[in-house]
Every structure is written in structure tokens, then in C-alpha cells.
Amino acid sequence: MGGSGYDSGMKRFLPFLLLAAGSAFGQTAAEVQAILDPIAKQFGVPGLAAAVLHGDGPIIVAATGVKVKGKAAKLRPDSRFHLGSVTKPVTATMIATLVDEGFLSWDLKIANAFPEWRSTTRPEYANVTLAELLAHEGRIQPFTDDAEIAKIPKFEGTPAEQRRAFVRYVLTLEPMPKERKPYTYSNAGYSVAAAMAEHVTGQTWEQLIDERIFKPFEMQKAGFGWPAAQHPDEPWGHWEQKGKLVPNDPKGSYQLPVVLAPADDLHMTLEELARFTRAHLVALRGHPTVIKSSTARQMHTQRNRSGLGWGVVTLLDYYPVSVYSGSAGTFDTMIAITPGADIGVIVATNAGSPQAEAAAKDALRMLIKRFSPPPPERKRAVPPRRKPPGPEFSSQLSARSSQVAC
């Protein structure tokens, strides 16, 4: 699948997507860190990092704190963080490149994607489309908490073979209750969407992510699973045990199931995630990157409650703002794109707890407020009068638990 359209688009825009750290709109890494330091101290998180970017110019990355609580090694701006559910926008973007090239279509139905499963797939899923899966509108069982995940049968084979077996199993389960405007946040729905991509391309989700995301964005540090499981010098995640944050051994018993990896199991540096974020910001402002501008607009348009791989909300008087947050219980990562202010902000902490979530949310809001250029008129961007109801920032879009992939 070499020589594809998204390759040529990326080659045109890669030079400014990869600009090194420095200052833009007046900000510096020191200014970003000055915002992070007191927040990390206030909420007691081991480490806190952030990236700030605009449509062009440098990407600013700063970090504070330590990699592992109780140890001296400092968190670095180039440390790797686990993305949790921020994996979903990445998977959705990979799928969008396949849509742009005609391998998939947003209206591809489950019944047509997997005709060999017609006899076992519940009829309620037959007409569920790829777009509905990415917008959490497919009524697929969530698989977002420990109890659900514990019930997943043991599947054999490669990760892709296990995912395929899991998807077939998921499609036999009773759908979630039907609402007037269906929305059920579902990790498993992203496994179904990824299985569609694997089926039409003959490549695994891992291969597709590597070919269509990691390589075009020169993500040399990005990978799958806990960062320190493969790279000992990287941060450990921390989870809350008896009211205290405790380091989680990345090679220990708590590992995310491969069948849900397309929803929640990538890691990368914040600069790498910022390159990805900038590609969406630039495409939203009318310039094709890894995806067409029209595709970006479709992904970032609110449907029932979210877009395709992105939440769409009002934030700090701006609308629309594309957001996503993710935590598998030991890291917490948040991302926001504000096209009207030409800014993207990413915040990550190596802890998963209500306090860590609050720290990340506070940092994200403060960075957007501090580094957004003032609008031409200092007025609130008014959303449509009858805008479909959306979730509060990072609540509906991040089902959380102490040990749960989300």
C-alpha cells in the first residue's frame, strides 16, 4: 500500500509539522513549566508535562516532576506517556486515511464488512456503520470496566487473530438500550472498526498504525503498551491504592488486553502527539495533511454527542473545541484543538486518579487561556442555537476506573 495519497500530503506539510521546540506567540518552555509546577504540587502528581502548538511555528514542550514516585529521575520533555483513550483519535485517523483512499467508507455496514458472520451477528448490528462505531453510536457493549473486561473469553493466536475472534464474539452480545439519539461510549466499538480496517487491507492494526501514523509523523519513540515495559528509562504509571498513589510495575500483572488495544494502548512523547494534533489543526484550517480537509471537518463535527474519534465541546468560550481524554488507570492524557484560536494543547501525567485528572484538566485550561491569541472581537463563540447535547469536558468521553482501559 505504498505511494498513497496521504504520503504525498504529509511530505508537503511535514517540514512545519516537525519544527523543533522554541517560542511562538511569545511562549517558551519555561513559561509552560511555570504553569505546570504549581499544579503538579497542588494535586500531588508524580509528574506533569504539556505541549503547546499553533498551526505553524515551533512546538513547545515542558515537564516537571519525576518518572517514578520515590525515585530521583526527573520527568523529561521527551518522556513517553501512555495515551489511554487518546489512542482512539489516532485509530480513527488511521481509518480516515483508508477512507480518503477508497479502501473504506464511513457508511460501510458491519453486515457488509463481515458477511461471513451473518448467521451469528445480532440483527441490530447489521446496519451499524463505520462512522457510527467511531462516534460511539453503534450500541456496542462498552467494555470499559473491570467486570466487563474480566468476562472476555480467552482467545488464541496473534493479536489480530484474537481481535477478530473478540469482534465476532462482541457482535453476538445484546446491544445497549436504544435511545432517541444513540450514544454508548465503547472501547469494543473501536475494536470492531479496527477489525474492518484489518479485513480490507490484510494488515494488522499495529502495521496500519505504524505505516499510516508513526512513520509519516516520524514518531520514532511511539509504540504499543506501557512505555517502561519496553524502555526501562521511561516513566512508570501510578494508580491510587488506599488513598495513595503507588507506582505500577509496567511488567506486572496489569496489562491491557490486546483485543481492546485500538481503543486504548498506545504510547508516545508529547512532541510526537503534538505533530499528530497539528495535522488535524492544519487540516481543519483548510490545508490537507495526513487527511483531507473535508475529512477533518467531518471527523470534528459533533453528531449525537461526539465526532468521529473526537469529542466536540464548548471550552473557555470557544466552540467548537475538539477534545479527548484517556486513562487506563495509571496515566492520564488530555488533548484539545481550538481551531478558532489556532491552538492545540496536550497535557499528560504519569498518574491515574481523580486528583491526576483534575491536575491535567486545570493545566489544559490554563494553557489554552494563557497562550491563545485573542479573538478579533473578545466575544464568546456562540454555538448553534439547538446544538445537540454534548458531554461535559472529559466526562462522557472518558469512562474511568482504577484499572480500566478507556
Side-chain angles (χ1 to χ4, degrees):
M1 299 175 68
S4 52
Y6 78 94
D7 285 327
S8 59
M10 282 302 301
K11 285 175 182 176
R12 275 188 295 151
F13 287 93
L14 203 56
F16 69 81
L17 291 175
L18 300 180
L19 281 169
S23 64
F25 287 92
Q27 73 255 38
T28 65
E31 289 178 288
V32 174
Q33 185 165 345
I35 289 175
L36 299 180
D37 285 341
I39 294 175
K41 184 176 181 180
Q42 175 188 353
F43 291 98
V45 293
L48 186 64
V52 179
L53 60 106
H54 299 279
D56 58 13
I59 292 168
I60 311 302
V61 187
T64 188
V66 295
K67 296 177 184 177
V68 183
K69 186 178 180 181
K71 297 188 177 181
K74 298 293 185 183
L75 197 67
R76 303 187 311 265
D78 63 346
S79 290
R80 295 170 168 95
F81 286 87
H82 193 262
L83 302 190
S85 273
V86 177
T87 298
K88 290 183 177 71
V90 180
T91 292
T93 302
M94 176 275 289
I95 288 172
T97 68
L98 294 172
V99 171
D100 280 350
E101 294 178 41
F103 289 98
L104 290 169
S105 66
W106 294 128
D107 60 1
L108 175 64
K109 297 177 181 179
I110 288 176
N112 294 332
F114 305 112
E116 66 275 24
W117 296 346
R118 286 182 187 273
S119 63
T120 58
T121 298
R122 289 186 64 107
E124 296 95 331
Y125 297 133
N127 292 324
V128 171
T129 66
L130 178 59
E132 288 171 331
L133 291 168
L134 297 182
H136 302 289
E137 296 169 0
R139 300 173 61 199
I140 305 293
Q141 289 288 331
F143 288 91
T144 55
D145 64 35
D146 294 338
E148 289 177 293
I149 292 171
K151 294 177 182 178
I152 297 176
K154 183 174 176 57
F155 301 109
E156 302 295 333
T158 65
E161 290 169 342
Q162 292 181 54
R163 275 193 296 272
R164 184 172 173 83
F166 171 68
V167 168
R168 185 173 186 179
Y169 162 74
V170 164
L171 296 178
T172 69
L173 302 177
E174 183 178 357
M176 297 299 290
K178 188 173 183 179
E179 300 177 2
R180 185 174 65 87
K181 292 185 176 182
Y183 178 90
T184 299
Y185 186 90
S186 175
N187 285 329
Y190 271 70
S191 296
V192 179
M196 287 182 173
E198 291 178 323
H199 189 60
V200 301
T201 63
Q203 294 179 284
T204 67
W205 170 75
E206 291 85 353
Q207 289 170 329
L208 289 166
I209 290 292
D210 182 63
E211 177 184 296
R212 292 173 170 270
I213 303 294
F214 291 173
K215 287 180 180 176
F217 290 104
E218 297 187 4
M219 294 178 173
Q220 297 178 357
K221 289 191 170 186
F224 307 90
W226 305 122
Q230 304 163 44
H231 309 282
D233 192 40
E234 292 298 338
W236 284 29
H238 298 72
W239 50 15
E240 195 171 49
Q241 303 290 324
K242 297 181 179 179
K244 295 183 179 180
L245 284 174
V246 178
N248 173 55
D249 184 350
K251 294 185 178 181
S253 60
Y254 177 42
Q255 304 293 327
L256 303 182
V258 295
V259 297
L260 295 175
D264 59 25
D265 208 13
L266 291 178
H267 69 253
M268 62 184 64
T269 70
L270 294 199
E271 184 174 357
E272 289 172 334
L273 185 54
R275 297 173 198 162
F276 168 84
T277 303
R278 174 175 280 172
H280 277 267
L281 177 59
V282 170
L284 282 170
R285 294 177 69 84
H287 304 285
T289 56
V290 70
I291 53 175
K292 298 175 182 177
S293 293
S294 58
T295 300
R297 287 192 296 271
Q298 190 167 1
M299 294 181 73
H300 293 263
T301 296
Q302 188 176 32
R303 293 161 57 98
N304 287 334
R305 295 193 189 178
S306 76
L308 307 182
W310 295 89
V312 185
V313 300
T314 299
L315 182 61
L316 295 175
D317 290 343
Y318 285 103
Y319 180 86
V321 180
S322 297
V323 299
Y324 229 89
S325 64
S327 174
T330 64
F331 287 79
D332 208 315
T333 301
M334 294 185 180
I335 184 171
I337 300 174
T338 309
D342 186 36
I343 191 172
V345 173
I346 302 157
V347 177
T349 177
N350 55 337
S353 68
Q355 288 291 93
E357 180 184 1
K361 189 182 295 185
D362 269 17
L364 186 128
R365 289 177 180 272
M366 288 184 67
L367 288 164
I368 292 175
K369 194 171 184 178
R370 168 65 179 82
F371 296 122
S372 294
E377 297 180 22
R378 205 60 180 171
K379 292 182 180 179
R380 176 178 179 139
V382 181
R385 187 173 181 181
R386 297 186 63 82
K387 179 174 70 68
E392 291 300 319
F393 172 58
S394 81
S395 58
Q396 295 283 351
L397 295 174
S398 184
R400 295 172 184 275
S401 169
S402 62
Q403 301 182 20
V404 174
C406 63

